[in-house]
Amino acid sequence: MAADLNTPGSEIEQRYLELLKDLRQQVTIPINMKLSPAFSSVANMAKQLEDAGASGVALFNRFYQPDINIDNLRLVSSLHTSVSAESLLTMRWIAILHGRTTLSLGATGGVHTAEDAIKLLLAGADVVHICSLLLEQGPSALGQVLTGIKAWMEEKGFDSIDEVRGRVSQISVPHPAEFERANYVHILDSFRSGPGVF
Ligand SMILES: Cc1cc2nc3c(=O)[nH]c(=O)nc-3n(C[C@H](O)[C@H](O)[C@H](O)COP(=O)(O)O)c2cc1C
């Protein structure tokens, strides 16, 4: 999408919807749309896509920004793989959408360990995508993630992924506001600086 000062967000939303409608006329297979995390209302965008006939959404597309080399003052294009912390943004939106939409919810971005995948399943993801981990460690890493998920399920007494899915989504937790920005002040209050920092 062009970073154009004259393009309103509504026009970008409309492009996604038009793309979906065009695709639906061409194919009969289910269509899942991968969304940017930068929509002003991710949940509403998902609802619009659901109403327009999407089968699912994948949250989120990971954009690769150019970097700047401060020695030669040039742009550098290099691939930075993700880190686990990136999955928390996805986790929050999956948790908010779970149980409120018929869309299949795919989680993508920052899944490197069984723990990352488990959190996204608990939030309500139907599927978890993995890319950076495979690039870094090869296909055998998938086995480790799977083994970790199975061990955790056994430890917690879960027999199936269905029992896990959405257990910690927004509609399931005792304090749904913890997924909202209102929790910001509480989070800031809980921060502790390193030793010697006042
Ligand atoms: C080399 C590479 C190629 C990718 N190609 C695509 C693509 O064609 N379409 C797409 O939707 N995402 C593409 N992605 C994004 C991944 O599908 C994934 O959403 C993203 O890397 C975040 O997941 P990760 O943290 O597991 O890497 C690509 C990522 C990488 C690293």
Side-chain angles (χ1 to χ4, degrees), residues 67-76:
D67 203 349
I68 291 178
N69 180 323
I70 63 166
D71 289 324
N72 62 18
L73 312 192
R74 287 172 187 260
L75 285 182
V76 190

Side-chain angles (χ1 to χ4, degrees), residues 14 56 68 70 86 103 116 123 125-126 147 151-152 164 168 172 179 194:
Q14 206 51 41
I68 291 178
I70 63 166
E86 291 177 37
L103 292 167
D116 298 333
D126 289 293
T147 306
W152 174 83
V164 176
V168 194
S172 311
F179 281 109

Side-chain angles (χ1 to χ4, degrees), residues 5-24:
L5 293 184
N6 296 312
T7 306
S10 55
E11 197 177 309
I12 292 171
E13 291 184 5
Q14 206 51 41
R15 283 186 209 158
Y16 273 68
L17 293 166
E18 274 162 25
L19 176 64
L20 171 63
K21 281 177 196 154
D22 287 350
L23 279 172
R24 286 191 63 223

Side-chain angles (χ1 to χ4, degrees), residues 34 60-62 64 79 82 108-111 129-132 135:
K34 196 172 190 180
F60 287 107
N61 206 355
R62 185 168 182 266
Y64 294 94
L79 175 65
S82 65
T108 169
V111 180
H129 304 204
I130 292 178
C131 180
S132 291
L135 289 175

